[in-house]
PDB file of all heavy atoms in Angstrom:
ATOM      1  N   GLU A1741      43.042  12.431 -27.370  1.00 97.00           N
ATOM      2  CA  GLU A1741      43.403  13.138 -28.602  1.00 97.00           C
ATOM      3  C   GLU A1741      42.477  14.339 -28.729  1.00 97.00           C
ATOM      4  O   GLU A1741      41.251  14.188 -28.699  1.00 97.00           O
ATOM      5  CB  GLU A1741      43.263  12.240 -29.828  1.00 97.00           C
ATOM      6  CG  GLU A1741      43.731  12.938 -31.115  1.00 97.00           C
ATOM      7  CD  GLU A1741      43.547  12.073 -32.340  1.00 97.00           C
ATOM      8  OE1 GLU A1741      42.445  12.124 -32.934  1.00 97.00           O
ATOM      9  OE2 GLU A1741      44.495  11.363 -32.712  1.00 97.00           O
ATOM     10  N   VAL A1742      43.051  15.537 -28.845  1.00 97.00           N
ATOM     11  CA  VAL A1742      42.254  16.759 -28.880  1.00 97.00           C
ATOM     12  C   VAL A1742      42.607  17.619 -30.087  1.00 97.00           C
ATOM     13  O   VAL A1742      43.699  17.531 -30.642  1.00 97.00           O
ATOM     14  CB  VAL A1742      42.431  17.593 -27.593  1.00 97.00           C
ATOM     15  CG1 VAL A1742      41.989  16.813 -26.371  1.00 97.00           C
ATOM     16  CG2 VAL A1742      43.880  18.058 -27.437  1.00 97.00           C
ATOM     17  N   TYR A1743      41.640  18.430 -30.461  1.00 98.00           N
ATOM     18  CA  TYR A1743      41.800  19.466 -31.485  1.00 98.00           C
ATOM     19  C   TYR A1743      41.914  20.797 -30.755  1.00 98.00           C
ATOM     20  O   TYR A1743      41.109  21.089 -29.866  1.00 98.00           O
ATOM     21  CB  TYR A1743      40.574  19.444 -32.399  1.00 98.00           C
ATOM     22  CG  TYR A1743      40.262  20.718 -33.162  1.00 98.00           C
ATOM     23  CD1 TYR A1743      40.642  20.876 -34.490  1.00 98.00           C
ATOM     24  CD2 TYR A1743      39.523  21.752 -32.564  1.00 98.00           C
ATOM     25  CE1 TYR A1743      40.311  22.027 -35.194  1.00 98.00           C
ATOM     26  CE2 TYR A1743      39.197  22.899 -33.258  1.00 98.00           C
ATOM     27  CZ  TYR A1743      39.596  23.037 -34.566  1.00 98.00           C
ATOM     28  OH  TYR A1743      39.268  24.170 -35.271  1.00 98.00           O
ATOM     29  N   VAL A1744      42.915  21.594 -31.106  1.00 97.00           N
ATOM     30  CA  VAL A1744      43.081  22.919 -30.511  1.00 97.00           C
ATOM     31  C   VAL A1744      43.186  23.947 -31.629  1.00 97.00           C
ATOM     32  O   VAL A1744      44.093  23.886 -32.459  1.00 97.00           O
ATOM     33  CB  VAL A1744      44.339  22.999 -29.616  1.00 97.00           C
ATOM     34  CG1 VAL A1744      44.486  24.409 -29.045  1.00 97.00           C
ATOM     35  CG2 VAL A1744      44.279  21.977 -28.494  1.00 97.00           C
ATOM     36  N   ARG A1745      42.239  24.871 -31.669  1.00 97.00           N
ATOM     37  CA  ARG A1745      42.303  25.995 -32.616  1.00 97.00           C
ATOM     38  C   ARG A1745      42.827  27.223 -31.878  1.00 97.00           C
ATOM     39  O   ARG A1745      42.392  27.516 -30.778  1.00 97.00           O
ATOM     40  CB  ARG A1745      40.918  26.270 -33.215  1.00 97.00           C
ATOM     41  CG  ARG A1745      40.923  27.314 -34.333  1.00 97.00           C
ATOM     42  CD  ARG A1745      40.589  28.700 -33.822  1.00 97.00           C
ATOM     43  NE  ARG A1745      39.341  28.667 -33.062  1.00 97.00           N
ATOM     44  CZ  ARG A1745      39.155  29.349 -31.958  1.00 97.00           C
ATOM     45  NH1 ARG A1745      40.130  30.096 -31.437  1.00 97.00           N
ATOM     46  NH2 ARG A1745      37.994  29.264 -31.304  1.00 97.00           N
ATOM     47  N   TYR A1746      43.740  27.934 -32.509  1.00 96.00           N
ATOM     48  CA  TYR A1746      44.351  29.093 -31.852  1.00 96.00           C
ATOM     49  C   TYR A1746      44.739  30.123 -32.907  1.00 96.00           C
ATOM     50  O   TYR A1746      44.675  29.875 -34.125  1.00 96.00           O
ATOM     51  CB  TYR A1746      45.576  28.647 -31.038  1.00 96.00           C
ATOM     52  CG  TYR A1746      46.657  27.980 -31.860  1.00 96.00           C
ATOM     53  CD1 TYR A1746      47.776  28.683 -32.302  1.00 96.00           C
ATOM     54  CD2 TYR A1746      46.554  26.632 -32.205  1.00 96.00           C
ATOM     55  CE1 TYR A1746      48.759  28.066 -33.062  1.00 96.00           C
ATOM     56  CE2 TYR A1746      47.526  26.014 -32.969  1.00 96.00           C
ATOM     57  CZ  TYR A1746      48.634  26.725 -33.395  1.00 96.00           C
ATOM     58  OH  TYR A1746      49.592  26.124 -34.158  1.00 96.00           O
ATOM     59  N   TYR A1747      45.159  31.309 -32.439  1.00 95.00           N
ATOM     60  CA  TYR A1747      45.564  32.391 -33.332  1.00 95.00           C
ATOM     61  C   TYR A1747      47.035  32.767 -33.165  1.00 95.00           C
ATOM     62  O   TYR A1747      47.703  33.106 -34.130  1.00 95.00           O
ATOM     63  CB  TYR A1747      44.683  33.626 -33.085  1.00 95.00           C
ATOM     64  CG  TYR A1747      43.224  33.386 -33.379  1.00 95.00           C
ATOM     65  CD1 TYR A1747      42.292  33.329 -32.340  1.00 95.00           C
ATOM     66  CD2 TYR A1747      42.769  33.183 -34.676  1.00 95.00           C
ATOM     67  CE1 TYR A1747      40.951  33.098 -32.597  1.00 95.00           C
ATOM     68  CE2 TYR A1747      41.422  32.947 -34.938  1.00 95.00           C
ATOM     69  CZ  TYR A1747      40.518  32.905 -33.896  1.00 95.00           C
ATOM     70  OH  TYR A1747      39.199  32.671 -34.145  1.00 95.00           O
ATOM     71  N   GLN A1748      47.517  32.715 -31.933  1.00 92.00           N
ATOM     72  CA  GLN A1748      48.892  33.098 -31.642  1.00 92.00           C
ATOM     73  C   GLN A1748      49.718  31.870 -31.282  1.00 92.00           C
ATOM     74  O   GLN A1748      49.300  31.058 -30.465  1.00 92.00           O
ATOM     75  CB  GLN A1748      48.926  34.109 -30.480  1.00 92.00           C
ATOM     76  CG  GLN A1748      48.114  35.369 -30.712  1.00 92.00           C
ATOM     77  CD  GLN A1748      48.649  36.200 -31.866  1.00 92.00           C
ATOM     78  OE1 GLN A1748      49.866  36.231 -32.102  1.00 92.00           O
ATOM     79  NE2 GLN A1748      47.756  36.873 -32.579  1.00 92.00           N
ATOM     80  N   GLU A1749      50.919  31.754 -31.887  1.00 90.00           N
ATOM     81  CA  GLU A1749      51.777  30.606 -31.633  1.00 90.00           C
ATOM     82  C   GLU A1749      52.154  30.474 -30.167  1.00 90.00           C
ATOM     83  O   GLU A1749      52.417  29.375 -29.672  1.00 90.00           O
ATOM     84  CB  GLU A1749      53.057  30.701 -32.488  1.00 90.00           C
ATOM     85  CG  GLU A1749      52.837  30.493 -33.982  1.00 90.00           C
ATOM     86  CD  GLU A1749      52.500  29.048 -34.324  1.00 90.00           C
ATOM     87  OE1 GLU A1749      52.807  28.146 -33.517  1.00 90.00           O
ATOM     88  OE2 GLU A1749      51.915  28.818 -35.398  1.00 90.00           O
ATOM     89  N   ALA A1750      52.165  31.578 -29.444  1.00 89.00           N
ATOM     90  CA  ALA A1750      52.550  31.549 -28.030  1.00 89.00           C
ATOM     91  C   ALA A1750      51.592  30.689 -27.205  1.00 89.00           C
ATOM     92  O   ALA A1750      51.964  30.207 -26.125  1.00 89.00           O
ATOM     93  CB  ALA A1750      52.583  32.969 -27.472  1.00 89.00           C
ATOM     94  N   VAL A1751      50.389  30.489 -27.703  1.00 87.00           N
ATOM     95  CA  VAL A1751      49.408  29.660 -26.999  1.00 87.00           C
ATOM     96  C   VAL A1751      49.944  28.239 -26.793  1.00 87.00           C
ATOM     97  O   VAL A1751      49.677  27.587 -25.777  1.00 87.00           O
ATOM     98  CB  VAL A1751      48.071  29.626 -27.777  1.00 87.00           C
ATOM     99  CG1 VAL A1751      47.162  28.532 -27.246  1.00 87.00           C
ATOM    100  CG2 VAL A1751      47.381  30.973 -27.705  1.00 87.00           C
ATOM    101  N   LEU A1752      50.736  27.766 -27.752  1.00 87.00           N
ATOM    102  CA  LEU A1752      51.248  26.402 -27.685  1.00 87.00           C
ATOM    103  C   LEU A1752      52.208  26.202 -26.519  1.00 87.00           C
ATOM    104  O   LEU A1752      52.459  25.065 -26.105  1.00 87.00           O
ATOM    105  CB  LEU A1752      51.938  26.034 -29.001  1.00 87.00           C
ATOM    106  CG  LEU A1752      51.023  26.019 -30.235  1.00 87.00           C
ATOM    107  CD1 LEU A1752      51.793  25.586 -31.459  1.00 87.00           C
ATOM    108  CD2 LEU A1752      49.825  25.109 -30.009  1.00 87.00           C
ATOM    109  N   ASP A1753      52.746  27.307 -25.993  1.00 89.00           N
ATOM    110  CA  ASP A1753      53.620  27.199 -24.821  1.00 89.00           C
ATOM    111  C   ASP A1753      52.832  26.793 -23.572  1.00 89.00           C
ATOM    112  O   ASP A1753      53.402  26.298 -22.605  1.00 89.00           O
ATOM    113  CB  ASP A1753      54.337  28.535 -24.559  1.00 89.00           C
ATOM    114  CG  ASP A1753      55.271  28.916 -25.701  1.00 89.00           C
ATOM    115  OD1 ASP A1753      55.755  27.994 -26.394  1.00 89.00           O
ATOM    116  OD2 ASP A1753      55.507  30.128 -25.899  1.00 89.00           O
ATOM    117  N   VAL A1754      51.510  27.018 -23.618  1.00 90.00           N
ATOM    118  CA  VAL A1754      50.661  26.722 -22.466  1.00 90.00           C
ATOM    119  C   VAL A1754      50.216  25.265 -22.467  1.00 90.00           C
ATOM    120  O   VAL A1754      50.025  24.657 -21.412  1.00 90.00           O
ATOM    121  CB  VAL A1754      49.426  27.651 -22.462  1.00 90.00           C
ATOM    122  CG1 VAL A1754      48.488  27.322 -21.306  1.00 90.00           C
ATOM    123  CG2 VAL A1754      49.854  29.102 -22.418  1.00 90.00           C
ATOM    124  N   ILE A1755      50.061  24.684 -23.662  1.00 93.00           N
ATOM    125  CA  ILE A1755      49.467  23.348 -23.797  1.00 93.00           C
ATOM    126  C   ILE A1755      50.548  22.297 -24.017  1.00 93.00           C
ATOM    127  O   ILE A1755      51.203  22.285 -25.057  1.00 93.00           O
ATOM    128  CB  ILE A1755      48.456  23.327 -24.961  1.00 93.00           C
ATOM    129  CG1 ILE A1755      47.386  24.404 -24.743  1.00 93.00           C
ATOM    130  CG2 ILE A1755      47.811  21.960 -25.085  1.00 93.00           C
ATOM    131  CD1 ILE A1755      46.398  24.524 -25.853  1.00 93.00           C
ATOM    132  N   PRO A1756      50.738  21.400 -23.059  1.00 93.00           N
ATOM    133  CA  PRO A1756      51.817  20.400 -23.140  1.00 93.00           C
ATOM    134  C   PRO A1756      51.420  19.154 -23.950  1.00 93.00           C
ATOM    135  O   PRO A1756      51.093  18.108 -23.401  1.00 93.00           O
ATOM    136  CB  PRO A1756      52.062  20.048 -21.676  1.00 93.00           C
ATOM    137  CG  PRO A1756      50.732  20.237 -21.014  1.00 93.00           C
ATOM    138  CD  PRO A1756      50.044  21.347 -21.759  1.00 93.00           C
ATOM    139  N   PHE A1757      51.456  19.259 -25.276  1.00 95.00           N
ATOM    140  CA  PHE A1757      51.151  18.101 -26.114  1.00 95.00           C
ATOM    141  C   PHE A1757      52.193  17.001 -25.909  1.00 95.00           C
ATOM    142  O   PHE A1757      53.396  17.266 -25.814  1.00 95.00           O
ATOM    143  CB  PHE A1757      51.138  18.502 -27.592  1.00 95.00           C
ATOM    144  CG  PHE A1757      49.853  19.127 -28.050  1.00 95.00           C
ATOM    145  CD1 PHE A1757      49.761  20.498 -28.239  1.00 95.00           C
ATOM    146  CD2 PHE A1757      48.727  18.344 -28.286  1.00 95.00           C
ATOM    147  CE1 PHE A1757      48.579  21.081 -28.661  1.00 95.00           C
ATOM    148  CE2 PHE A1757      47.546  18.919 -28.716  1.00 95.00           C
ATOM    149  CZ  PHE A1757      47.468  20.287 -28.895  1.00 95.00           C
ATOM    150  N   LEU A1758      51.734  15.767 -25.866  1.00 95.00           N
ATOM    151  CA  LEU A1758      52.637  14.618 -25.801  1.00 95.00           C
ATOM    152  C   LEU A1758      53.084  14.193 -27.192  1.00 95.00           C
ATOM    153  O   LEU A1758      54.216  13.737 -27.390  1.00 95.00           O
ATOM    154  CB  LEU A1758      51.937  13.442 -25.108  1.00 95.00           C
ATOM    155  CG  LEU A1758      51.441  13.684 -23.683  1.00 95.00           C
ATOM    156  CD1 LEU A1758      50.607  12.506 -23.207  1.00 95.00           C
ATOM    157  CD2 LEU A1758      52.606  13.930 -22.748  1.00 95.00           C
ATOM    158  N   GLN A1759      52.171  14.356 -28.146  1.00 95.00           N
ATOM    159  CA  GLN A1759      52.451  13.987 -29.533  1.00 95.00           C
ATOM    160  C   GLN A1759      51.511  14.759 -30.436  1.00 95.00           C
ATOM    161  O   GLN A1759      50.335  14.954 -30.100  1.00 95.00           O
ATOM    162  CB  GLN A1759      52.265  12.475 -29.727  1.00 95.00           C
ATOM    163  CG  GLN A1759      52.629  11.977 -31.113  1.00 95.00           C
ATOM    164  CD  GLN A1759      52.483  10.461 -31.226  1.00 95.00           C
ATOM    165  OE1 GLN A1759      52.060   9.799 -30.287  1.00 95.00           O
ATOM    166  NE2 GLN A1759      52.834   9.903 -32.372  1.00 95.00           N
ATOM    167  N   ILE A1760      52.024  15.225 -31.563  1.00 95.00           N
ATOM    168  CA  ILE A1760      51.203  15.978 -32.517  1.00 95.00           C
ATOM    169  C   ILE A1760      50.969  15.113 -33.753  1.00 95.00           C
ATOM    170  O   ILE A1760      51.909  14.586 -34.349  1.00 95.00           O
ATOM    171  CB  ILE A1760      51.880  17.310 -32.906  1.00 95.00           C
ATOM    172  CG1 ILE A1760      51.914  18.234 -31.684  1.00 95.00           C
ATOM    173  CG2 ILE A1760      51.141  17.982 -34.066  1.00 95.00           C
ATOM    174  CD1 ILE A1760      52.655  19.527 -31.902  1.00 95.00           C
ATOM    175  N   HIS A1761      49.697  14.972 -34.152  1.00 96.00           N
ATOM    176  CA  HIS A1761      49.328  14.153 -35.301  1.00 96.00           C
ATOM    177  C   HIS A1761      49.088  14.994 -36.553  1.00 96.00           C
ATOM    178  O   HIS A1761      49.317  14.521 -37.668  1.00 96.00           O
ATOM    179  CB  HIS A1761      48.067  13.349 -35.004  1.00 96.00           C
ATOM    180  CG  HIS A1761      48.182  12.484 -33.789  1.00 96.00           C
ATOM    181  ND1 HIS A1761      49.147  11.510 -33.654  1.00 96.00           N
ATOM    182  CD2 HIS A1761      47.455  12.441 -32.633  1.00 96.00           C
ATOM    183  CE1 HIS A1761      49.013  10.904 -32.488  1.00 96.00           C
ATOM    184  NE2 HIS A1761      47.996  11.448 -31.845  1.00 96.00           N
ATOM    185  N   GLU A1762      48.609  16.201 -36.365  1.00 96.00           N
ATOM    186  CA  GLU A1762      48.260  17.039 -37.517  1.00 96.00           C
ATOM    187  C   GLU A1762      48.370  18.497 -37.114  1.00 96.00           C
ATOM    188  O   GLU A1762      48.007  18.871 -36.001  1.00 96.00           O
ATOM    189  CB  GLU A1762      46.836  16.724 -37.984  1.00 96.00           C
ATOM    190  CG  GLU A1762      46.376  17.488 -39.211  1.00 96.00           C
ATOM    191  CD  GLU A1762      44.959  17.126 -39.622  1.00 96.00           C
ATOM    192  OE1 GLU A1762      44.475  16.041 -39.234  1.00 96.00           O
ATOM    193  OE2 GLU A1762      44.335  17.936 -40.336  1.00 96.00           O
ATOM    194  N   LYS A1763      48.880  19.333 -38.046  1.00 96.00           N
ATOM    195  CA  LYS A1763      48.990  20.764 -37.779  1.00 96.00           C
ATOM    196  C   LYS A1763      48.631  21.538 -39.034  1.00 96.00           C
ATOM    197  O   LYS A1763      49.053  21.180 -40.133  1.00 96.00           O
ATOM    198  CB  LYS A1763      50.406  21.125 -37.313  1.00 96.00           C
ATOM    199  CG  LYS A1763      50.563  22.588 -36.894  1.00 96.00           C
ATOM    200  CD  LYS A1763      51.940  22.855 -36.306  1.00 96.00           C
ATOM    201  CE  LYS A1763      52.067  24.303 -35.846  1.00 96.00           C
ATOM    202  NZ  LYS A1763      53.401  24.580 -35.251  1.00 96.00           N
ATOM    203  N   TYR A1764      47.835  22.601 -38.856  1.00 96.00           N
ATOM    204  CA  TYR A1764      47.402  23.435 -39.981  1.00 96.00           C
ATOM    205  C   TYR A1764      47.609  24.897 -39.626  1.00 96.00           C
ATOM    206  O   TYR A1764      47.304  25.325 -38.506  1.00 96.00           O
ATOM    207  CB  TYR A1764      45.928  23.180 -40.290  1.00 96.00           C
ATOM    208  CG  TYR A1764      45.343  24.142 -41.291  1.00 96.00           C
ATOM    209  CD1 TYR A1764      45.483  23.920 -42.658  1.00 96.00           C
ATOM    210  CD2 TYR A1764      44.658  25.281 -40.868  1.00 96.00           C
ATOM    211  CE1 TYR A1764      44.958  24.807 -43.583  1.00 96.00           C
ATOM    212  CE2 TYR A1764      44.126  26.176 -41.781  1.00 96.00           C
ATOM    213  CZ  TYR A1764      44.277  25.944 -43.136  1.00 96.00           C
ATOM    214  OH  TYR A1764      43.766  26.823 -44.040  1.00 96.00           O
ATOM    215  N   SER A1765      48.116  25.672 -40.579  1.00 95.00           N
ATOM    216  CA  SER A1765      48.316  27.108 -40.369  1.00 95.00           C
ATOM    217  C   SER A1765      47.802  27.892 -41.558  1.00 95.00           C
ATOM    218  O   SER A1765      47.943  27.466 -42.713  1.00 95.00           O
ATOM    219  CB  SER A1765      49.806  27.424 -40.172  1.00 95.00           C
ATOM    220  OG  SER A1765      50.293  26.856 -38.986  1.00 95.00           O
ATOM    221  N   SER A1766      47.178  29.015 -41.279  1.00 94.00           N
ATOM    222  CA  SER A1766      46.739  29.945 -42.323  1.00 94.00           C
ATOM    223  C   SER A1766      46.911  31.358 -41.809  1.00 94.00           C
ATOM    224  O   SER A1766      47.319  31.568 -40.664  1.00 94.00           O
ATOM    225  CB  SER A1766      45.273  29.683 -42.686  1.00 94.00           C
ATOM    226  OG  SER A1766      44.426  30.101 -41.644  1.00 94.00           O
ATOM    227  N   HIS A1767      46.578  32.337 -42.626  1.00 93.00           N
ATOM    228  CA  HIS A1767      46.669  33.729 -42.177  1.00 93.00           C
ATOM    229  C   HIS A1767      45.638  34.040 -41.101  1.00 93.00           C
ATOM    230  O   HIS A1767      45.837  34.937 -40.268  1.00 93.00           O
ATOM    231  CB  HIS A1767      46.462  34.680 -43.372  1.00 93.00           C
ATOM    232  CG  HIS A1767      47.547  34.587 -44.395  1.00 93.00           C
ATOM    233  ND1 HIS A1767      48.854  34.893 -44.121  1.00 93.00           N
ATOM    234  CD2 HIS A1767      47.510  34.217 -45.701  1.00 93.00           C
ATOM    235  CE1 HIS A1767      49.587  34.718 -45.209  1.00 93.00           C
ATOM    236  NE2 HIS A1767      48.789  34.309 -46.189  1.00 93.00           N
ATOM    237  N   ASN A1768      44.515  33.295 -41.104  1.00 92.00           N
ATOM    238  CA  ASN A1768      43.409  33.610 -40.202  1.00 92.00           C
ATOM    239  C   ASN A1768      43.455  32.853 -38.877  1.00 92.00           C
ATOM    240  O   ASN A1768      43.081  33.397 -37.833  1.00 92.00           O
ATOM    241  CB  ASN A1768      42.083  33.313 -40.903  1.00 92.00           C
ATOM    242  CG  ASN A1768      41.882  34.160 -42.138  1.00 92.00           C
ATOM    243  OD1 ASN A1768      42.245  35.336 -42.156  1.00 92.00           O
ATOM    244  ND2 ASN A1768      41.325  33.566 -43.187  1.00 92.00           N
ATOM    245  N   PHE A1769      43.893  31.610 -38.924  1.00 96.00           N
ATOM    246  CA  PHE A1769      43.890  30.793 -37.702  1.00 96.00           C
ATOM    247  C   PHE A1769      44.795  29.588 -37.903  1.00 96.00           C
ATOM    248  O   PHE A1769      45.268  29.295 -39.018  1.00 96.00           O
ATOM    249  CB  PHE A1769      42.473  30.343 -37.346  1.00 96.00           C
ATOM    250  CG  PHE A1769      41.937  29.250 -38.247  1.00 96.00           C
ATOM    251  CD1 PHE A1769      41.877  27.926 -37.805  1.00 96.00           C
ATOM    252  CD2 PHE A1769      41.485  29.533 -39.532  1.00 96.00           C
ATOM    253  CE1 PHE A1769      41.394  26.921 -38.618  1.00 96.00           C
ATOM    254  CE2 PHE A1769      40.992  28.536 -40.355  1.00 96.00           C
ATOM    255  CZ  PHE A1769      40.949  27.220 -39.895  1.00 96.00           C
ATOM    256  N   HIS A1770      45.008  28.853 -36.799  1.00 97.00           N
ATOM    257  CA  HIS A1770      45.797  27.619 -36.822  1.00 97.00           C
ATOM    258  C   HIS A1770      45.068  26.564 -35.994  1.00 97.00           C
ATOM    259  O   HIS A1770      44.289  26.894 -35.107  1.00 97.00           O
ATOM    260  CB  HIS A1770      47.196  27.838 -36.228  1.00 97.00           C
ATOM    261  CG  HIS A1770      47.834  29.128 -36.619  1.00 97.00           C
ATOM    262  ND1 HIS A1770      48.456  29.326 -37.831  1.00 97.00           N
ATOM    263  CD2 HIS A1770      47.941  30.310 -35.956  1.00 97.00           C
ATOM    264  CE1 HIS A1770      48.931  30.556 -37.898  1.00 97.00           C
ATOM    265  NE2 HIS A1770      48.616  31.176 -36.766  1.00 97.00           N
ATOM    266  N   TYR A1771      45.363  25.296 -36.308  1.00 97.00           N
ATOM    267  CA  TYR A1771      44.882  24.250 -35.401  1.00 97.00           C
ATOM    268  C   TYR A1771      45.899  23.119 -35.334  1.00 97.00           C
ATOM    269  O   TYR A1771      46.707  22.917 -36.255  1.00 97.00           O
ATOM    270  CB  TYR A1771      43.501  23.726 -35.789  1.00 97.00           C
ATOM    271  CG  TYR A1771      43.425  22.825 -37.005  1.00 97.00           C
ATOM    272  CD1 TYR A1771      43.824  21.486 -36.939  1.00 97.00           C
ATOM    273  CD2 TYR A1771      42.925  23.285 -38.217  1.00 97.00           C
ATOM    274  CE1 TYR A1771      43.750  20.650 -38.044  1.00 97.00           C
ATOM    275  CE2 TYR A1771      42.842  22.462 -39.330  1.00 97.00           C
ATOM    276  CZ  TYR A1771      43.262  21.154 -39.238  1.00 97.00           C
ATOM    277  OH  TYR A1771      43.195  20.323 -40.339  1.00 97.00           O
ATOM    278  N   ILE A1772      45.839  22.405 -34.235  1.00 97.00           N
ATOM    279  CA  ILE A1772      46.682  21.230 -34.003  1.00 97.00           C
ATOM    280  C   ILE A1772      45.797  20.110 -33.478  1.00 97.00           C
ATOM    281  O   ILE A1772      44.884  20.349 -32.675  1.00 97.00           O
ATOM    282  CB  ILE A1772      47.801  21.525 -32.985  1.00 97.00           C
ATOM    283  CG1 ILE A1772      48.960  22.270 -33.667  1.00 97.00           C
ATOM    284  CG2 ILE A1772      48.330  20.256 -32.344  1.00 97.00           C
ATOM    285  CD1 ILE A1772      50.126  22.551 -32.751  1.00 97.00           C
ATOM    286  N   ILE A1773      46.055  18.891 -33.953  1.00 97.00           N
ATOM    287  CA  ILE A1773      45.432  17.700 -33.386  1.00 97.00           C
ATOM    288  C   ILE A1773      46.547  16.855 -32.793  1.00 97.00           C
ATOM    289  O   ILE A1773      47.527  16.522 -33.475  1.00 97.00           O
ATOM    290  CB  ILE A1773      44.656  16.906 -34.443  1.00 97.00           C
ATOM    291  CG1 ILE A1773      43.489  17.744 -34.981  1.00 97.00           C
ATOM    292  CG2 ILE A1773      44.138  15.587 -33.861  1.00 97.00           C
ATOM    293  CD1 ILE A1773      42.727  17.090 -36.114  1.00 97.00           C
TER     294      ILE A1773
END
Side-chain angles (χ1 to χ4, degrees):
E1741 184 182 88
V1742 299
Y1743 157 99
V1744 179
R1745 187 265 307 140
Y1746 60 98
Y1747 298 110
Q1748 303 296 327
E1749 290 289 339
V1751 167
L1752 297 183
D1753 296 333
V1754 177
I1755 304 177
F1757 278 103
L1758 301 172
Q1759 184 177 3
I1760 293 175
H1761 304 302
E1762 182 180 339
K1763 185 174 182 179
Y1764 171 84
S1765 294
S1766 71
H1767 294 298
N1768 298 322
F1769 74 104
H1770 319 280
Y1771 74 77
I1772 280 182
I1773 296 175

